[in-house]
């Protein structure tokens, strides 16, 4: 519960004009994601004389629920806590309003405290429609104590002919290091450990786990491309999924499975987190949740996890010139998988100003700092001030040094000039479902990467034609910030 002092700091305005109102927020079934809305909704309600009602639905039902409400111009919801990747649909339906005028409020500290990478995710077609409260992206987690062991580094040098970096810088180096640490007891606990863990099961977000392997080979650096992080299509919607860059990245994803991972293709995300925090794996590329979970009661690796950019490559495929480009510096291209959860105000609400007042409270520096430090919120750091306001992290059991390292890395991934913002166009889930179908045929050995991605590209073209090519091009350019 907030102290009176804290309430004054977050600057709750007098809303006597709006007392007695109920704001209805549609959110995913908790406790994660919707939980903080319930807690802070009660606080805000006591301060303003209003009420926040959280309407929870299962994740799979959330998008259809919004689609139905938009189609019928329903007043059932005032605020949506929705996936940022659904922004194009919400804007296209005319179901959410622009928040640009509200963001001029100096109490939000939007210009000075919100990273440009977050602002990009909040925008579509040049306007800000959603406000991130959870900053999703994938990056490298590694065991600092194990990879920094000087004896292991010498043994690796003897086997591979070079000293590995801590953390590994390229995907090729990552595979070598994973292979070295795979299948033996490197922490002397009597159990065999793995070098690397990932999700590989169909329907278990496996496509997200492959993207950090594809992007460094397929994304043209920002200063040589018309927009940041062009990964899925060219700006005129020609699929890039069967480009040499994608194919090479997928082949590296397969190679990691053959050399550096545990056996089997049935691992899911829960396995990735558990294997890391139980000390069974040396490395993983995943969303930021491994950090807070490494401080949970069951964790055996508290204070032993390091954080870094997902490894890159020393070459990329330039889809503009149709040739490979070698690089002296490592080409990094982090991927904002899912982008995060965002607040939206519906265009059908009778109380847009009241909705804004509640959202402003939720995303305030003080309240958001508490939420991103809470392992049960499901929210990841997104404000610059989160890296200096460390008291909530210390209260959660972190040292200031480790918390600062974790938050700074999350923001570095967010701000990277080559970072890929997850696709926000109508049908994005369908495109990625098709991709995952063909990706898993590569993992199982049914198809080569080239065979599978050629078939995938054909289906992507069919989806684009069915949804309307010109409209899809328009939405995709708005997503990229080109219109």
């Amino acid at each position: 519960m907030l102290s009176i002092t804290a309430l004054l700091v977050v600057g709750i305005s007098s809303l006597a004009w709006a007392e007695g109102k109920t704001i209805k927020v549609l959110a995913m079934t908790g406790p994660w994601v919707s939980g903080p809305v319930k807690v802070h909704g009660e606080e805000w309600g006591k301060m303003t004389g209003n009420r926040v009602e959280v309407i929870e639905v299962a994740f799979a039902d959330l998008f259809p629920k919004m689609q139905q409400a938009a189609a019928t111009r329903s007043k059932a919801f005032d605020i949506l806590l929705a996936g940022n990747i659904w922004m194009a649909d919400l804007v296209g339906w005319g179901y959410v309003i622009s928040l640009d005028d509200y963001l001029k409020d100096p109490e939000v500290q939007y210009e000075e405290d919100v990273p440009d990478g977050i602002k990009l995710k909040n925008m579509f077609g040049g306007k800000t429609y959603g406000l991130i409260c959870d900053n999703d992206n994938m990056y490298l987690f590694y065991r600092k104590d194990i990879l920094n062991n000087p004896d292991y580094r010498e043994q690796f040098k003897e086997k591979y002919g070079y000293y590995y970096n801590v953390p590994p810088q390229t995907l090729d180096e990552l595979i070598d290091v994973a292979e070295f640490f795979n299948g033996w007891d490197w922490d002397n606990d009597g159990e065999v450990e793995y070098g690397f863990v990932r999700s590989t099961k169909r329907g278990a977000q496996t496509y997200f786990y492959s993207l950090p392997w594809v992007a460094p080979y397929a994304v043209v650096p920002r200063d040589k491309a018309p927009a940041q992080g062009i990964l899925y299509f060219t700006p005129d919607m020609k699929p890039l999924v069967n480009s040499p860059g994608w194919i090479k990245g997928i082949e590296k994803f397969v190679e990691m499975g053959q050399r550096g991972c545990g056996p089997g293709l049935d691992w899911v995300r829960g396995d990735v987190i558990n294997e890391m925090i139980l000390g069974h794996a040396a490395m993983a590329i995943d969303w930021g949740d491994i950090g807070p979970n490494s401080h949970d009661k069951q964790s055996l690796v508290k204070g032993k996890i390091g954080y870094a950019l997902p490894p890159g490559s020393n070459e990329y495929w330039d889809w503009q010139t149709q040739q490979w480009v070698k690089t002296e510096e490592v080409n990094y291209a982090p991927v904002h998988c899912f982008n995060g959860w965002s607040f939206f105000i519906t265009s059908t609400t009778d109380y847009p100003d009241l909705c804004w007042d509640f959202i402003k409270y939720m995303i305030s520096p003080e309240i958001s700092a508490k939420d991103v430090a809470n392992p049960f919120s499901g929210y990841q750091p997104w404000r610059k001030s989160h890296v200096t306001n460390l008291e909530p992290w210390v209260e959660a059991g972190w040292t200031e040094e480790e918390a600062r390292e974790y938050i700074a890395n999350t923001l570095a991934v967010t701000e990277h000039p080559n970072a890929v913002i997850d696709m926000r166009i109508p049908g994005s889930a369908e495109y990625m479902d098709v991709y995952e179908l063909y990706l898993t045929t590569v993992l199982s050995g049914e198809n080569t990467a080239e065979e599978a991605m050629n078939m995938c590209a054909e289906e992507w073209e069919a989806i684009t034609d069915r949804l309307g090519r010109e409209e899809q091009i328009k939405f995709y350019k708005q997503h990229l910030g080109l219109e």
Side-chain angles (χ1 to χ4, degrees):
M1 182 63 70
L2 291 174
S3 66
I4 295 298
T5 301
L7 298 180
L8 294 173
V9 168
V10 298
I12 296 300
S13 58
S14 172
L15 289 172
W17 50 269
E19 288 182 359
K21 303 293 188 299
T22 296
I23 292 176
K24 296 181 180 179
V25 182
L26 178 65
M28 182 181 76
T29 301
W32 290 277
V33 181
S34 64
V37 182
K38 293 180 181 177
V39 172
H40 302 311
E42 187 174 342
E43 297 164 356
W44 179 84
K46 289 179 179 176
M47 290 183 286
T48 65
N50 296 288
R51 178 170 171 265
V52 173
E53 178 184 350
V54 181
I55 301 168
E56 297 176 276
V57 300
F59 177 80
D61 298 328
L62 195 54
F63 184 82
K65 197 81 170 178
M66 293 186 297
Q67 189 174 30
Q68 182 182 34
T72 59
R73 312 311 296 168
S74 169
K75 288 181 173 289
F77 315 116
D78 302 290
I79 295 174
L80 309 174
L81 180 48
N84 180 275
I85 58 173
W86 300 326
M87 187 178 293
D89 298 277
L90 295 171
V91 173
W93 298 332
Y95 193 47
V96 295
I97 64 173
S98 166
L99 304 175
D100 290 295
D101 287 341
Y102 287 123
L103 292 175
K104 296 174 184 175
D105 185 338
E107 292 181 0
V108 182
Q109 301 178 35
Y110 195 73
E111 288 304 318
E112 62 270 32
D113 195 28
V114 177
D116 288 343
I118 296 296
K119 290 174 184 170
L120 277 176
K121 291 199 280 190
N122 289 342
M123 293 179 67
F124 193 83
K127 293 184 179 180
T128 300
Y129 290 97
L131 290 176
I132 289 275
C133 62
D134 160 46
N135 178 24
D136 277 348
N137 38 57
M138 279 190 163
Y139 49 82
L140 179 66
F141 297 84
Y142 64 97
R143 285 287 298 273
K144 292 187 293 187
D145 55 326
I146 301 302
L147 266 64
N148 279 312
N149 184 314
D151 292 337
Y152 292 161
R153 297 195 75 208
E154 289 294 336
Q155 292 171 27
F156 180 93
K157 167 73 164 44
E158 185 174 341
K159 181 176 180 179
Y160 293 90
Y162 69 97
Y163 289 108
Y164 62 76
N165 295 291
V166 181
Q169 303 295 302
T170 67
L171 292 167
D172 281 330
E173 183 181 23
L174 182 74
I175 294 172
D176 285 347
V177 176
E179 183 181 54
F180 176 77
F181 284 107
N182 196 47
W184 57 284
D185 182 14
W186 34 255
D187 62 357
N188 300 311
D189 66 351
E191 297 181 354
V192 171
E193 280 92 26
Y194 304 121
F196 188 85
V197 284
R198 60 189 183 160
S199 173
T200 48
K201 188 175 181 179
R202 168 95 167 113
Q205 301 180 315
T206 291
Y207 65 94
F208 277 136
Y209 283 85
S210 73
L211 296 179
W213 293 79
V214 168
Y217 294 109
V219 171
V220 178
R222 174 65 187 94
D223 61 347
K224 298 176 178 61
Q228 173 183 317
I230 296 177
L231 176 63
Y232 304 98
F233 299 93
T234 63
D236 60 355
M237 287 297 290
K238 177 179 172 53
L240 292 171
V241 72
N242 60 340
S243 71
W246 271 78
I247 291 170
K248 187 156 194 171
I250 292 170
E251 289 173 345
K252 293 295 179 183
F253 188 59
V254 173
E255 183 180 349
M256 173 59 94
Q258 296 167 339
R259 294 175 55 192
C261 293
L265 292 174
D266 58 348
W267 288 25
V268 298
R269 183 161 190 242
D271 298 319
V272 176
I273 295 174
N274 286 333
E275 293 299 298
M276 283 299 297
I277 69 172
L278 295 177
H280 298 161
M283 299 179 292
I285 296 177
D286 204 301
W287 286 279
D289 304 273
I290 287 177
N293 276 278
S294 72
H295 287 265
D296 197 11
K297 291 179 181 177
Q298 62 176 337
S299 171
L300 301 177
V301 297
K302 184 177 179 180
K304 297 179 179 179
I305 299 292
Y307 317 98
L309 289 173
S313 64
N314 287 118
E315 60 181 346
Y316 64 86
W317 175 258
D318 188 337
W319 49 267
Q320 302 163 113
T321 61
Q322 293 291 299
Q323 61 184 2
W324 284 101
V325 178
K326 300 289 184 184
T327 62
E328 293 186 8
E329 302 292 329
V330 176
N331 184 49
Y332 293 100
V335 183
H336 292 215
C337 298
F338 192 69
N339 294 339
W341 292 96
S342 298
F343 286 110
F344 297 86
I345 298 177
T346 66
S347 57
T348 56
T349 180
D350 291 328
Y351 317 117
D353 292 347
L354 197 62
C355 291
W356 167 248
D357 200 82
F358 175 60
I359 291 175
K360 186 174 76 171
Y361 179 67
M362 286 292 303
I363 67 167
S364 64
E366 295 77 11
I367 297 301
S368 65
K370 293 176 182 291
D371 285 341
V372 297
N374 180 353
F376 302 107
S377 71
Y379 297 175
Q380 306 303 321
W382 57 274
R383 276 189 181 269
K384 296 177 185 176
S385 58
H386 290 163
V387 81
T388 55
N389 186 357
L390 300 177
E391 185 178 342
W393 298 86
V394 173
E395 291 175 357
W398 296 60
T399 66
E400 286 195 358
E401 180 182 1
E402 188 184 8
R404 191 177 296 111
E405 179 187 353
Y406 170 74
I407 300 167
N409 186 68
T410 304
L411 296 180
V413 173
T414 303
E415 287 283 71
H416 197 282
N418 298 340
V420 178
I421 295 178
D422 207 357
M423 186 162 52
R424 301 173 302 174
I425 59 175
S428 58
E430 186 177 1
Y431 287 111
M432 298 316 292
D433 186 58
V434 169
Y435 166 61
E436 187 177 82
L437 170 65
Y438 286 107
L439 172 66
T440 51
T441 70
V442 181
L443 292 170
S444 66
E446 182 180 345
N447 292 306
T448 67
E450 185 173 4
E451 290 169 346
M453 292 306 109
N454 281 336
M455 290 186 280
C456 180
E458 288 183 12
E459 292 206 31
W460 278 20
E461 290 278 36
I463 294 170
T464 301
D465 287 337
R466 175 164 48 81
L467 296 178
R469 183 167 296 275
E470 293 306 314
E471 279 295 295
Q472 289 298 90
I473 291 174
K474 175 185 173 184
F475 278 118
Y476 189 55
K477 287 186 175 179
Q478 289 179 329
H479 157 70
L480 293 174
L482 294 174
E483 286 188 356

